[in-house]
Amino acid sequence: MTQPAFPRRGVLAPLAVVLVLGIGVPAAAEVTVSVREPLLLQVGERSLEIRVEPESISGAGLQLRRVENGLSGTLRGQPVELKWSEDGDITGRAAGESVDLTAVALTPRPGLRVLGWFGGDTAELTLTPTGILGSVGGCSYRLPMAGNRYSGWRTCDVTRGPPTPVTLRIPEELMQLGAAEEGALLALLLSDEALSPAPPTGETPGMGGAGTPSP
């Protein structure tokens, strides 16, 4: 199947005819999420569906209100209070962790880079139409675009088990988010606060077969 052209707005995933996930990338990197269908994040055997509505972002264990230049609510029963500036600086707290991030649009090519700190761990995520690469919340991701979704591996510290397969799927009907909101939501979803690694199975998956994204 031929991959569709990447739209001017939206970062994460080109799907179907106009599909692109962007967790916030203006003209070059802005997250887009379906209004009707949920965004799906699957880590091992665990999954999380997220719905982005005009006034809220919600899913199992996640209840956020979209306020002016920020998000407010709870993640896994713990408070989330995030604010961002026009320059893409994201600050606040999420699930007991301090957050100090910056969302930077890649130019001239489409994409988004999120840099800074999530809790006590450095964060550096790069999103492009071809893949997601980097780390946040103590977990590293290598998710090339495969078909109509990002699919690859997540590796956390050894105490949390072996590398785990990860899939991030974005639906076709999309609503665009601003760059900072996109970066904040991506960091929340891929941090270890949203979905902890699946229990160890006794087998360590290989890291090959999916290719390497080229942000």
Side-chain angles (χ1 to χ4, degrees):
M1 180 174 119
T2 302
Q3 180 171 307
F6 190 72
R8 292 188 62 204
R9 291 180 177 274
V11 174
L12 288 185
L15 287 184
V17 180
V18 279
L19 177 62
V20 170
L21 161 62
I23 283 185
V25 195
E30 189 167 283
V31 174
T32 50
V33 183
S34 171
V35 177
R36 298 178 183 176
E37 296 182 82
L39 176 155
L40 174 65
L41 171 65
Q42 185 161 358
V43 179
E45 297 181 354
R46 307 184 66 182
S47 63
L48 177 64
E49 290 188 349
I50 299 295
R51 292 188 178 276
V52 178
E53 306 290 349
E55 297 182 355
S56 66
I57 298 175
S58 61
L62 178 68
Q63 295 293 330
L64 300 176
R65 288 182 294 112
R66 301 179 68 193
V67 299
E68 184 176 1
N69 296 325
L71 294 172
S72 178
T74 59
L75 174 60
R76 295 172 64 182
Q78 299 188 67
V80 173
E81 293 291 341
L82 296 176
K83 292 287 186 180
W84 48 77
S85 68
E86 294 182 358
D87 295 332
D89 294 330
I90 306 162
T91 58
R93 295 189 66 81
E97 301 286 358
S98 60
V99 176
D100 188 357
L101 301 169
T102 299
V104 181
L106 302 179
T107 57
R109 56 181 179 171
L112 177 71
R113 180 164 291 150
V114 180
L115 304 167
W117 292 85
F118 195 104
D121 298 296
T122 57
E124 182 173 355
L125 287 170
T126 300
L127 301 77
T128 72
T130 60
I132 300 174
L133 182 67
S135 63
V136 63
C139 294
S140 298
Y141 291 85
R142 186 177 294 273
L143 308 177
M145 173 61 71
N148 63 355
R149 64 195 64 191
Y150 292 100
S151 184
W153 296 94
R154 157 175 160 163
T155 304
C156 302
D157 63 69
V158 294
T159 65
R160 290 180 282 180
T164 306
V166 173
T167 295
L168 180 59
R169 188 189 68 201
I170 312 302
E172 296 178 18
E173 297 176 357
L174 308 174
M175 178 176 66
Q176 295 178 344
L177 308 180
E181 184 172 12
E182 185 174 349
L185 181 56
L186 182 71
L188 283 176
L189 293 180
L190 297 186
S191 74
D192 197 32
E193 303 304 321
L195 272 180
S196 58
T201 61
E203 299 181 359
T204 302
M207 295 299 291
T212 301
S214 302

PDB file of all heavy atoms in Angstrom, residues 3 14 20 54 92 107 117 136 158 179 204:
ATOM      1  N   GLN A   3       2.127   4.786   0.848  1.00  0.00           N
ATOM      2  CA  GLN A   3       1.940   5.678   1.989  1.00  0.00           C
ATOM      3  C   GLN A   3       1.503   7.038   1.491  1.00  0.00           C
ATOM      4  O   GLN A   3       2.101   7.612   0.597  1.00  0.00           O
ATOM      5  CB  GLN A   3       3.254   5.815   2.761  1.00  0.00           C
ATOM      6  CG  GLN A   3       3.139   6.735   3.962  1.00  0.00           C
ATOM      7  CD  GLN A   3       4.382   6.671   4.802  1.00  0.00           C
ATOM      8  OE1 GLN A   3       4.802   5.591   5.180  1.00  0.00           O
ATOM      9  NE2 GLN A   3       4.972   7.804   5.101  1.00  0.00           N
ATOM     10  N   PRO A  14       0.823   9.009   9.290  1.00  0.00           N
ATOM     11  CA  PRO A  14       0.018   9.099   8.083  1.00  0.00           C
ATOM     12  C   PRO A  14      -0.840   7.859   7.974  1.00  0.00           C
ATOM     13  O   PRO A  14      -0.317   6.801   7.803  1.00  0.00           O
ATOM     14  CB  PRO A  14       1.043   9.133   6.966  1.00  0.00           C
ATOM     15  CG  PRO A  14       2.364   9.152   7.588  1.00  0.00           C
ATOM     16  CD  PRO A  14       2.222   8.922   9.063  1.00  0.00           C
ATOM     17  N   VAL A  20      -2.551  11.355   9.621  1.00  0.00           N
ATOM     18  CA  VAL A  20      -1.283  11.711  10.219  1.00  0.00           C
ATOM     19  C   VAL A  20      -1.503  11.878  11.683  1.00  0.00           C
ATOM     20  O   VAL A  20      -2.421  12.525  12.096  1.00  0.00           O
ATOM     21  CB  VAL A  20      -0.756  13.040   9.685  1.00  0.00           C
ATOM     22  CG1 VAL A  20       0.427  13.474  10.511  1.00  0.00           C
ATOM     23  CG2 VAL A  20      -0.345  12.888   8.254  1.00  0.00           C
ATOM     24  N   PRO A  54     -13.231  18.146  21.999  1.00  0.00           N
ATOM     25  CA  PRO A  54     -12.943  19.583  22.061  1.00  0.00           C
ATOM     26  C   PRO A  54     -12.588  20.084  23.455  1.00  0.00           C
ATOM     27  O   PRO A  54     -11.787  21.010  23.594  1.00  0.00           O
ATOM     28  CB  PRO A  54     -14.239  20.223  21.550  1.00  0.00           C
ATOM     29  CG  PRO A  54     -14.810  19.199  20.628  1.00  0.00           C
ATOM     30  CD  PRO A  54     -14.489  17.875  21.273  1.00  0.00           C
ATOM     31  N   GLY A  92       5.146  21.735  34.605  1.00  0.00           N
ATOM     32  CA  GLY A  92       4.109  21.337  35.549  1.00  0.00           C
ATOM     33  C   GLY A  92       4.424  20.012  36.186  1.00  0.00           C
ATOM     34  O   GLY A  92       5.598  19.627  36.317  1.00  0.00           O
ATOM     35  N   THR A 107      12.097  21.792  10.925  1.00  0.00           N
ATOM     36  CA  THR A 107      11.920  22.495   9.660  1.00  0.00           C
ATOM     37  C   THR A 107      13.171  22.320   8.786  1.00  0.00           C
ATOM     38  O   THR A 107      14.275  22.206   9.319  1.00  0.00           O
ATOM     39  CB  THR A 107      11.698  24.010   9.900  1.00  0.00           C
ATOM     40  OG1 THR A 107      12.812  24.529  10.645  1.00  0.00           O
ATOM     41  CG2 THR A 107      10.403  24.267  10.657  1.00  0.00           C
ATOM     42  N   TRP A 117      12.999  17.199  30.556  1.00  0.00           N
ATOM     43  CA  TRP A 117      12.955  16.260  31.676  1.00  0.00           C
ATOM     44  C   TRP A 117      11.525  15.828  31.966  1.00  0.00           C
ATOM     45  O   TRP A 117      10.596  16.639  31.942  1.00  0.00           O
ATOM     46  CB  TRP A 117      13.530  16.912  32.936  1.00  0.00           C
ATOM     47  CG  TRP A 117      15.002  17.171  32.838  1.00  0.00           C
ATOM     48  CD1 TRP A 117      15.607  18.260  32.271  1.00  0.00           C
ATOM     49  CD2 TRP A 117      16.045  16.321  33.305  1.00  0.00           C
ATOM     50  NE1 TRP A 117      16.972  18.145  32.354  1.00  0.00           N
ATOM     51  CE2 TRP A 117      17.271  16.967  32.994  1.00  0.00           C
ATOM     52  CE3 TRP A 117      16.072  15.089  33.969  1.00  0.00           C
ATOM     53  CZ2 TRP A 117      18.507  16.418  33.311  1.00  0.00           C
ATOM     54  CZ3 TRP A 117      17.300  14.554  34.295  1.00  0.00           C
ATOM     55  CH2 TRP A 117      18.499  15.204  33.966  1.00  0.00           C
ATOM     56  N   VAL A 136      11.601   8.677  27.058  1.00  0.00           N
ATOM     57  CA  VAL A 136      10.876   9.527  27.997  1.00  0.00           C
ATOM     58  C   VAL A 136      10.501   8.680  29.199  1.00  0.00           C
ATOM     59  O   VAL A 136      10.188   7.495  29.065  1.00  0.00           O
ATOM     60  CB  VAL A 136       9.615  10.142  27.340  1.00  0.00           C
ATOM     61  CG1 VAL A 136       8.611   9.067  26.938  1.00  0.00           C
ATOM     62  CG2 VAL A 136       8.950  11.160  28.269  1.00  0.00           C
ATOM     63  N   VAL A 158      16.224  -2.864  33.338  1.00  0.00           N
ATOM     64  CA  VAL A 158      16.122  -4.321  33.433  1.00  0.00           C
ATOM     65  C   VAL A 158      15.159  -4.770  34.523  1.00  0.00           C
ATOM     66  O   VAL A 158      14.628  -5.882  34.461  1.00  0.00           O
ATOM     67  CB  VAL A 158      17.511  -4.947  33.677  1.00  0.00           C
ATOM     68  CG1 VAL A 158      18.397  -4.721  32.466  1.00  0.00           C
ATOM     69  CG2 VAL A 158      18.160  -4.360  34.927  1.00  0.00           C
ATOM     70  N   ALA A 179       1.305  22.364  18.710  1.00  0.00           N
ATOM     71  CA  ALA A 179       2.578  21.666  18.899  1.00  0.00           C
ATOM     72  C   ALA A 179       2.851  21.330  20.356  1.00  0.00           C
ATOM     73  O   ALA A 179       3.262  20.220  20.684  1.00  0.00           O
ATOM     74  CB  ALA A 179       3.722  22.509  18.334  1.00  0.00           C
ATOM     75  N   THR A 204      13.015 -12.805  25.659  1.00  0.00           N
ATOM     76  CA  THR A 204      13.456 -11.471  25.294  1.00  0.00           C
ATOM     77  C   THR A 204      13.290 -11.286  23.805  1.00  0.00           C
ATOM     78  O   THR A 204      13.973 -11.928  23.021  1.00  0.00           O
ATOM     79  CB  THR A 204      14.937 -11.259  25.663  1.00  0.00           C
ATOM     80  OG1 THR A 204      15.094 -11.484  27.067  1.00  0.00           O
ATOM     81  CG2 THR A 204      15.371  -9.844  25.293  1.00  0.00           C
TER      82      THR A 204
END
